[in-house]
PDB file of all heavy atoms in Angstrom:
ATOM      1  N   GLN A1223     158.680  34.221 -93.221  1.00 97.00           N
ATOM      2  CA  GLN A1223     157.599  33.830 -94.139  1.00 97.00           C
ATOM      3  C   GLN A1223     156.303  34.451 -93.615  1.00 97.00           C
ATOM      4  O   GLN A1223     155.419  34.745 -94.381  1.00 97.00           O
ATOM      5  CB  GLN A1223     157.432  32.288 -94.168  1.00 97.00           C
ATOM      6  CG  GLN A1223     158.589  31.557 -94.834  1.00 97.00           C
ATOM      7  CD  GLN A1223     158.674  31.828 -96.264  1.00 97.00           C
ATOM      8  OE1 GLN A1223     157.670  31.748 -97.010  1.00 97.00           O
ATOM      9  NE2 GLN A1223     159.873  32.109 -96.768  1.00 97.00           N
ATOM     10  N   LEU A1224     156.194  34.661 -92.267  1.00 98.00           N
ATOM     11  CA  LEU A1224     154.995  35.249 -91.728  1.00 98.00           C
ATOM     12  C   LEU A1224     154.852  36.731 -92.031  1.00 98.00           C
ATOM     13  O   LEU A1224     153.822  37.258 -92.244  1.00 98.00           O
ATOM     14  CB  LEU A1224     155.018  34.993 -90.210  1.00 98.00           C
ATOM     15  CG  LEU A1224     153.813  35.600 -89.431  1.00 98.00           C
ATOM     16  CD1 LEU A1224     152.455  35.134 -89.924  1.00 98.00           C
ATOM     17  CD2 LEU A1224     153.943  35.357 -87.914  1.00 98.00           C
ATOM     18  N   LEU A1225     156.034  37.446 -91.989  1.00 97.00           N
ATOM     19  CA  LEU A1225     156.017  38.899 -92.177  1.00 97.00           C
ATOM     20  C   LEU A1225     155.271  39.324 -93.470  1.00 97.00           C
ATOM     21  O   LEU A1225     154.404  40.174 -93.337  1.00 97.00           O
ATOM     22  CB  LEU A1225     157.482  39.421 -92.162  1.00 97.00           C
ATOM     23  CG  LEU A1225     157.620  40.935 -92.509  1.00 97.00           C
ATOM     24  CD1 LEU A1225     156.922  41.799 -91.472  1.00 97.00           C
ATOM     25  CD2 LEU A1225     159.104  41.319 -92.527  1.00 97.00           C
ATOM     26  N   PRO A1226     155.622  38.803 -94.615  1.00 97.00           N
ATOM     27  CA  PRO A1226     154.878  39.232 -95.838  1.00 97.00           C
ATOM     28  C   PRO A1226     153.385  38.919 -95.811  1.00 97.00           C
ATOM     29  O   PRO A1226     152.564  39.601 -96.395  1.00 97.00           O
ATOM     30  CB  PRO A1226     155.587  38.511 -97.001  1.00 97.00           C
ATOM     31  CG  PRO A1226     156.322  37.362 -96.376  1.00 97.00           C
ATOM     32  CD  PRO A1226     156.707  37.829 -95.007  1.00 97.00           C
ATOM     33  N   VAL A1227     153.017  37.807 -95.160  1.00 98.00           N
ATOM     34  CA  VAL A1227     151.585  37.512 -94.972  1.00 98.00           C
ATOM     35  C   VAL A1227     150.909  38.604 -94.211  1.00 98.00           C
ATOM     36  O   VAL A1227     149.816  39.094 -94.568  1.00 98.00           O
ATOM     37  CB  VAL A1227     151.415  36.140 -94.274  1.00 98.00           C
ATOM     38  CG1 VAL A1227     149.942  35.863 -93.992  1.00 98.00           C
ATOM     39  CG2 VAL A1227     152.000  34.996 -95.108  1.00 98.00           C
ATOM     40  N   LEU A1228     151.514  39.004 -93.113  1.00 98.00           N
ATOM     41  CA  LEU A1228     150.878  40.078 -92.282  1.00 98.00           C
ATOM     42  C   LEU A1228     150.822  41.380 -93.055  1.00 98.00           C
ATOM     43  O   LEU A1228     149.813  42.088 -93.004  1.00 98.00           O
ATOM     44  CB  LEU A1228     151.707  40.219 -91.001  1.00 98.00           C
ATOM     45  CG  LEU A1228     151.682  39.031 -90.016  1.00 98.00           C
ATOM     46  CD1 LEU A1228     152.647  39.345 -88.829  1.00 98.00           C
ATOM     47  CD2 LEU A1228     150.343  38.716 -89.574  1.00 98.00           C
ATOM     48  N   LEU A1229     151.936  41.743 -93.728  1.00 97.00           N
ATOM     49  CA  LEU A1229     151.971  43.051 -94.452  1.00 97.00           C
ATOM     50  C   LEU A1229     150.993  43.021 -95.583  1.00 97.00           C
ATOM     51  O   LEU A1229     150.320  44.044 -95.889  1.00 97.00           O
ATOM     52  CB  LEU A1229     153.373  43.294 -94.957  1.00 97.00           C
ATOM     53  CG  LEU A1229     154.456  43.523 -93.927  1.00 97.00           C
ATOM     54  CD1 LEU A1229     155.810  43.797 -94.536  1.00 97.00           C
ATOM     55  CD2 LEU A1229     154.055  44.721 -93.018  1.00 97.00           C
ATOM     56  N   SER A1230     150.829  41.872 -96.315  1.00 97.00           N
ATOM     57  CA  SER A1230     149.854  41.835 -97.382  1.00 97.00           C
ATOM     58  C   SER A1230     148.421  41.964 -96.935  1.00 97.00           C
ATOM     59  O   SER A1230     147.558  42.300 -97.711  1.00 97.00           O
ATOM     60  CB  SER A1230     150.048  40.547 -98.165  1.00 97.00           C
ATOM     61  OG  SER A1230     149.678  39.385 -97.394  1.00 97.00           O
ATOM     62  N   ASN A1231     148.203  41.689 -95.626  1.00 97.00           N
ATOM     63  CA  ASN A1231     146.820  41.885 -95.089  1.00 97.00           C
ATOM     64  C   ASN A1231     146.758  43.216 -94.272  1.00 97.00           C
ATOM     65  O   ASN A1231     145.800  43.357 -93.507  1.00 97.00           O
ATOM     66  CB  ASN A1231     146.569  40.651 -94.121  1.00 97.00           C
ATOM     67  CG  ASN A1231     146.175  39.427 -94.933  1.00 97.00           C
ATOM     68  OD1 ASN A1231     145.041  39.295 -95.388  1.00 97.00           O
ATOM     69  ND2 ASN A1231     147.145  38.522 -95.120  1.00 97.00           N
ATOM     70  N   ASN A1232     147.661  44.076 -94.585  1.00 97.00           N
ATOM     71  CA  ASN A1232     147.674  45.435 -94.020  1.00 97.00           C
ATOM     72  C   ASN A1232     147.638  45.469 -92.446  1.00 97.00           C
ATOM     73  O   ASN A1232     147.043  46.341 -91.809  1.00 97.00           O
ATOM     74  CB  ASN A1232     146.412  46.217 -94.530  1.00 97.00           C
ATOM     75  CG  ASN A1232     146.436  46.404 -96.059  1.00 97.00           C
ATOM     76  OD1 ASN A1232     147.459  46.732 -96.586  1.00 97.00           O
ATOM     77  ND2 ASN A1232     145.307  46.031 -96.648  1.00 97.00           N
ATOM     78  N   GLU A1233     148.371  44.545 -91.868  1.00 97.00           N
ATOM     79  CA  GLU A1233     148.478  44.489 -90.446  1.00 97.00           C
ATOM     80  C   GLU A1233     149.720  45.326 -90.035  1.00 97.00           C
ATOM     81  O   GLU A1233     150.696  45.402 -90.751  1.00 97.00           O
ATOM     82  CB  GLU A1233     148.668  43.061 -89.931  1.00 97.00           C
ATOM     83  CG  GLU A1233     147.545  42.148 -90.268  1.00 97.00           C
ATOM     84  CD  GLU A1233     146.266  42.420 -89.471  1.00 97.00           C
ATOM     85  OE1 GLU A1233     146.291  43.371 -88.592  1.00 97.00           O
ATOM     86  OE2 GLU A1233     145.275  41.692 -89.685  1.00 97.00           O
ATOM     87  N   LYS A1234     149.638  45.981 -88.890  1.00 98.00           N
ATOM     88  CA  LYS A1234     150.781  46.684 -88.308  1.00 98.00           C
ATOM     89  C   LYS A1234     151.652  45.606 -87.626  1.00 98.00           C
ATOM     90  O   LYS A1234     151.141  44.767 -86.884  1.00 98.00           O
ATOM     91  CB  LYS A1234     150.308  47.661 -87.220  1.00 98.00           C
ATOM     92  CG  LYS A1234     149.588  48.852 -87.815  1.00 98.00           C
ATOM     93  CD  LYS A1234     149.217  49.867 -86.695  1.00 98.00           C
ATOM     94  CE  LYS A1234     148.456  51.009 -87.224  1.00 98.00           C
ATOM     95  NZ  LYS A1234     148.025  51.972 -86.142  1.00 98.00           N
ATOM     96  N   VAL A1235     152.923  45.554 -87.969  1.00 98.00           N
ATOM     97  CA  VAL A1235     153.815  44.496 -87.547  1.00 98.00           C
ATOM     98  C   VAL A1235     154.982  45.075 -86.714  1.00 98.00           C
ATOM     99  O   VAL A1235     155.632  46.102 -87.084  1.00 98.00           O
ATOM    100  CB  VAL A1235     154.343  43.721 -88.749  1.00 98.00           C
ATOM    101  CG1 VAL A1235     155.285  42.623 -88.294  1.00 98.00           C
ATOM    102  CG2 VAL A1235     153.234  43.232 -89.635  1.00 98.00           C
ATOM    103  N   ARG A1236     155.268  44.434 -85.619  1.00 98.00           N
ATOM    104  CA  ARG A1236     156.447  44.745 -84.796  1.00 98.00           C
ATOM    105  C   ARG A1236     157.378  43.478 -84.742  1.00 98.00           C
ATOM    106  O   ARG A1236     156.897  42.356 -84.425  1.00 98.00           O
ATOM    107  CB  ARG A1236     156.031  45.113 -83.342  1.00 98.00           C
ATOM    108  CG  ARG A1236     157.149  45.478 -82.462  1.00 98.00           C
ATOM    109  CD  ARG A1236     156.696  45.827 -81.051  1.00 98.00           C
ATOM    110  NE  ARG A1236     155.938  47.029 -81.077  1.00 98.00           N
ATOM    111  CZ  ARG A1236     154.984  47.397 -80.192  1.00 98.00           C
ATOM    112  NH1 ARG A1236     154.683  46.534 -79.210  1.00 98.00           N
ATOM    113  NH2 ARG A1236     154.341  48.519 -80.256  1.00 98.00           N
ATOM    114  N   LEU A1237     158.579  43.668 -85.116  1.00 98.00           N
ATOM    115  CA  LEU A1237     159.554  42.557 -85.157  1.00 98.00           C
ATOM    116  C   LEU A1237     160.486  42.721 -83.979  1.00 98.00           C
ATOM    117  O   LEU A1237     161.117  43.729 -83.749  1.00 98.00           O
ATOM    118  CB  LEU A1237     160.404  42.657 -86.435  1.00 98.00           C
ATOM    119  CG  LEU A1237     159.588  42.548 -87.774  1.00 98.00           C
ATOM    120  CD1 LEU A1237     160.485  42.794 -88.979  1.00 98.00           C
ATOM    121  CD2 LEU A1237     158.866  41.203 -87.867  1.00 98.00           C
ATOM    122  N   VAL A1238     160.545  41.664 -83.147  1.00 98.00           N
ATOM    123  CA  VAL A1238     161.312  41.716 -81.972  1.00 98.00           C
ATOM    124  C   VAL A1238     162.407  40.621 -81.968  1.00 98.00           C
ATOM    125  O   VAL A1238     162.235  39.486 -82.297  1.00 98.00           O
ATOM    126  CB  VAL A1238     160.475  41.463 -80.729  1.00 98.00           C
ATOM    127  CG1 VAL A1238     161.268  41.581 -79.431  1.00 98.00           C
ATOM    128  CG2 VAL A1238     159.257  42.438 -80.687  1.00 98.00           C
TER     129      VAL A1238
END
Side-chain angles (χ1 to χ4, degrees):
Q1223 295 291 313
L1224 176 59
L1225 176 59
V1227 174
L1228 297 176
L1229 293 179
S1230 67
N1231 283 281
N1232 298 313
E1233 300 289 358
K1234 292 181 180 178
V1235 181
R1236 179 180 294 156
L1237 301 174
V1238 183

